[in-house]
Amino acid sequence: MKTGARILIDNLKEQGVDIIFGYPGGSVLPIYDELYDADIRHILVRHEQAAVHAADGYARASGRVGVCLSTSGPGACNLVSGIATANMDSVPIVALTGQVPTGMLGNDAFQESDITGITMPVTKHNFLVNDTIRIPQVIAEAFYIAGTGRYGPVLVDLPKDVLMRSVSPEEILPGIPDLKGYKPTYHGHPRQIKKALDLLRESKKPVIYAGGGIVASGASEALCRFAEEMEIPVTTTMMGLGAIPSDHPLNLGMLGMHGTKFANYAVTGCDLLFTIGARFDDRVTGKIDEFAPGAKIIHIDIDPAEIGKNKAVDVPIVGDAKVVLDDILERLNPEDRVIRTAWLEEIGKWKKDHPLTCGNGGGLHPQQIIREISTLLDGGGIIVSEVGQNQMWAAQHYGFKKPRQWISSGGLGTMGYGFPAAIGAWFARPEETIVLIAGDGSFQMNIQELGTVAQYKVPVKMMILNNMYLGMVRQWQELFYEKRYSYTELPFVDFVGIAKAYGVPGRVVESEKDIVPALKESFETDGPFLIDFRIEREENVFPMVPAGAAIKDMIGEHVEQEDD
Ligand SMILES: Cc1ncc(C[n+]2csc(CCOP(=O)(O)OP(=O)(O)O)c2C)c(N)n1
């Protein structure tokens, strides 16, 4: 006879789970009791939101399914933002929640919340397990759904009696998914692929618009080969950073609201937009009618619901980005390679005329800090960001070389995501240098995880770009609300003092000359390290597409600002 909790642990092991990020409570005590001597590592975070973000960071860094665990009621509710974050960015996680006993469901029992109801719109799928014998099947299905097709979060709610009941091995349903209606499509339709190749052949001004789907499907090598063979410039979304090396001659950098001017000009002027694993998010497209207005559009996506959702498409291809790109590469003929010198020269001129720039004048400039980190790590390591200006500066100025090097909350833009995600990323890839780029506002949203990094000696290097503002919101107030800084100023915080209280070393940097020595000290220190960079308080992220404007109508470059 085996208890439900024991069956659960055995099944998690069968799924290859070696680490769970979690926080205990009454309804999950049976699971915690099993974890006491199971060979699955459990990391005790300081807040359930951190558990789910850590599982998400683990998944993004490793490409595997991340797992988190919470108790019922308040614990489960604390997972919601993190589940929604993973859902928006298509990250495979399995969230395990405790639940009140089945006989008390719906009675407003102590610490009951209808977590499957609450998370229905933000999970790929969720389960309430009503019988112990179903645990193996549900776990198999949860991992299968999370880690196939378009990845996403799956929640498994486990009532306490289901965990405690003992059943004999013969009764238990096998751990095999039984999902008749769920069949992701991996191969693109050959006729559509042929149509795409025909359009490519005719195009004089093509651009590839690559999204997170490239990273998720492991298509970045295929993408680079395809771009090189066809000599097509590539722009990526924020989620696609690292899909093509930053210094690749065909890379235009990020497009959209805080993208490069040259990427946005190229997309506006192209005659063919080859979209792969991206979803025409409004932060990318700006005014949708003026996004790639004269272009035919090819769209490859694993999720058929994405195709044509925001923008009409000429050639839809449902399939996995890597499988489809490999297929296209195989079909390429020498005559498909069209020389487009004039187009590349036009783009080259935009690149030369509108480079990304650092802030000028005295004081500490965040762009320079990011560039120094990039130089010191030679474009290596894993860069995890919080949300706000810090995120955009990191996205713009770090020299990414590979996929899975950039971890950031894209679709939901969840402040407080970065720090716990950085912890999860380190457990996935402990050999890497993990750098957190944070704003002082975001860092305070999960600052208690200093306790976790101290306890487990997680060597996350925390770089706080401290402007004593909710900087990105302040920027909008400056530009669009006549500098009426309504509730966006943050008081002084002694971050190094707080870190010290948790047993984490750190230092304050106030002048340019101290940037590199402090960074070196942090990289040379074993374990976690925090740097409080006191940056120019009103530094802005430029260029910028004002909300609702066309992406060609970008404002601000430091160079231009001086002339204003
Ligand atoms: C949970 C959450 N609440 C509110 C917001 C809205 N928001 C977006 S950016 C931002 C300011 C971020 O400030 P900070 O972390 O200090 O970073 P900075 O922009 O200064 O780099 C806010 C409040 C959000 N994205 N997430």
Side-chain angles (χ1 to χ4, degrees):
M1 299 288 275
K2 271 190 190 179
T3 65
R6 183 60 204 255
I7 296 169
L8 174 74
I9 296 293
D10 289 349
N11 280 278
L12 292 174
K13 272 196 291 198
E14 257 172 50
Q15 292 294 336
V17 175
D18 51 15
I19 192 161
I20 294 178
F21 302 91
Y23 204 86
S27 66
V28 281
L29 275 174
I31 304 177
Y32 274 85
D33 193 54
E34 287 296 339
L35 280 171
Y36 192 68
D37 40 27
D39 57 359
I40 292 180
R41 191 158 185 214
H42 176 275
I43 303 301
L44 177 67
V45 291
R46 299 299 181 267
H47 187 305
E48 288 88 355
Q49 191 186 352
V52 57
H53 289 326
D56 172 313
Y58 174 94
R60 293 193 208 215
S62 65
R64 301 175 60 198
V65 177
V67 182
C68 62
L69 170 61
S70 80
T71 194
S72 63
C77 287
N78 278 345
L79 296 179
V80 175
S81 298
I83 292 173
T85 303
N87 195 50
M88 286 286 264
D89 289 347
S90 309
V91 179
I93 59 171
V94 170
L96 306 167
T97 49
Q99 184 53 279
V100 300
T102 45
M104 294 168 85
L105 280 169
N107 289 0
D108 290 344
F110 177 65
Q111 296 200 325
E112 176 180 8
S113 65
D114 173 11
I115 198 64
T116 47
I118 291 170
T119 60
M120 185 89 80
V122 292
T123 45
K124 186 171 172 189
H125 195 69
N126 65 30
F127 297 89
L128 170 62
V129 188
N130 55 9
D131 194 340
T132 308
I133 63 168
R134 286 201 63 218
I135 291 176
Q137 190 181 33
V138 168
I139 292 298
E141 288 176 359
F143 278 80
Y144 182 68
I145 294 170
T148 55
R150 180 179 184 164
Y151 302 147
V154 177
L155 181 134
V156 180
D157 200 22
L158 296 148
K160 192 166 182 182
D161 58 323
V162 170
L163 292 170
M164 291 178 73
R165 200 179 133 213
S166 291
V167 291
S168 66
E170 306 84 70
E171 286 178 89
I172 304 172
L173 296 179
I176 300 168
D178 179 21
L179 298 159
K180 293 190 183 58
Y182 176 72
K183 283 212 172 46
T185 305
Y186 290 92
H187 286 275
H189 195 289
R191 206 169 49 233
Q192 297 302 91
I193 290 180
K194 186 179 168 303
K195 271 195 202 163
L197 282 171
D198 288 345
L199 282 188
L200 276 166
R201 233 169 270 139
E202 287 160 20
S203 163
K204 293 194 172 55
K205 297 178 162 196
V207 167
I208 297 172
Y209 153 36
I214 298 279
V215 177
S217 68
S220 92
E221 260 180 56
L223 169 77
C224 294
R225 235 187 86 201
F226 175 73
E228 282 160 13
E229 288 203 9
M230 304 292 285
E231 262 197 88
I232 303 180
V234 182
T235 177
T236 74
T237 64
M238 194 193 79
M239 296 297 296
L241 289 172
I244 176 168
S246 297
D247 58 0
H248 193 292
L250 288 168
N251 187 8
L252 303 176
M254 188 167 77
L255 81 167
M257 183 171 277
H258 290 296
T260 62
K261 282 199 173 182
F262 39 95
N264 285 347
Y265 290 162
V267 169
T268 305
C270 73
D271 64 5
L272 177 67
L273 191 66
F274 196 107
T275 310
I276 315 170
R279 60 189 177 88
F280 296 87
D281 176 75
D282 57 282
R283 279 291 194 269
V284 160
T285 63
K287 192 171 178 194
I288 192 91
D289 300 339
E290 291 181 42
F291 183 70
K296 292 248 192 274
I297 296 183
I298 302 168
H299 189 179
I300 303 173
D301 206 288
I302 189 127
D303 183 351
E306 282 303 339
I307 298 181
K309 186 181 81 180
N310 295 336
K311 180 97 179 157
V313 165
D314 297 278
V315 182
I317 303 178
V318 178
D320 172 87
K322 178 169 184 336
V323 175
V324 177
L325 272 178
D326 282 346
D327 204 356
I328 291 178
L329 279 168
E330 248 175 55
R331 289 168 197 233
L332 282 185
N333 295 314
E335 66 269 22
D336 293 328
R337 192 184 161 136
V338 187
I339 305 298
R340 302 177 180 97
T341 319
W343 178 227
L344 291 177
E345 276 175 8
E346 195 176 351
I347 289 176
K349 185 163 179 327
W350 286 326
K351 265 189 163 179
K352 207 165 132 272
D353 292 348
H354 306 284
L356 283 173
T357 50
C358 272
N360 38 36
L364 266 190
H365 298 292
Q367 304 91 335
Q368 193 194 346
I369 296 167
I370 307 286
R371 288 180 182 197
E372 297 290 9
I373 296 170
S374 191
T375 307
L376 282 176
L377 296 182
D378 194 19
I382 296 181
I383 309 300
V384 189
S385 85
E386 286 290 352
V387 168
Q389 294 180 312
N390 61 87
Q391 177 181 35
M392 290 303 133
W393 286 318
Q396 290 180 334
H397 293 276
Y398 198 83
F400 299 101
K401 289 197 165 152
K402 291 186 187 144
R404 299 202 186 281
Q405 248 195 302
W406 166 245
I407 295 181
S408 188
S409 168
L412 203 64
T414 312
M415 288 171 74
Y417 167 83
F419 187 20
I423 296 173
W426 182 75
F427 281 106
R429 287 166 63 189
E431 71 290 355
E432 295 286 352
T433 303
I434 312 284
V435 178
L436 170 71
I437 307 290
D440 48 321
S442 305
F443 191 68
Q444 289 184 74
M445 280 220 175
N446 270 317
I447 196 167
Q448 75 288 342
E449 297 310 316
L450 281 164
T452 309
V453 291
Q455 180 178 358
Y456 297 100
K457 302 191 174 43
V458 182
V460 173
K461 310 302 173 187
M462 294 158 268
M463 313 296 178
I464 301 179
L465 306 180
N466 186 357
N467 47 19
M468 292 178 31
Y469 277 118
L470 296 171
M472 187 56 99
V473 183
R474 185 212 56 77
Q475 174 169 343
W476 282 55
Q477 289 172 331
E478 176 188 329
L479 299 174
F480 311 117
Y481 292 87
E482 297 164 347
K483 289 199 174 188
R484 287 156 57 84
Y485 295 164
S486 179
Y487 303 104
T488 43
E489 188 162 9
L490 295 171
F492 170 78
V493 174
D494 177 7
F495 285 109
V496 171
I498 294 176
K500 198 169 154 220
Y502 276 101
V504 172
R507 78 166 42 251
V508 174
V509 172
E510 282 172 306
S511 70
E512 200 187 315
K513 67 172 188 353
D514 295 329
I515 298 176
V516 172
L519 288 174
K520 283 191 174 155
E521 184 187 359
S522 83
F523 295 138
E524 282 157 13
T525 304
D526 286 337
F529 197 93
L530 182 148
I531 306 180
D532 178 358
F533 288 103
R534 307 273 169 83
I535 61 167
E536 275 287 288
R537 292 199 66 201
E538 299 193 22
E539 185 91 45
N540 286 334
V541 182
F542 286 130
M544 175 183 194
V545 178
I551 59 168
K552 67 175 193 325
D553 298 324
M554 305 190 79
I555 55 167
E557 249 172 44
H558 292 279
V559 181
E560 279 178 3
Q561 262 199 329
E562 276 190 330
D563 305 334
D564 283 347

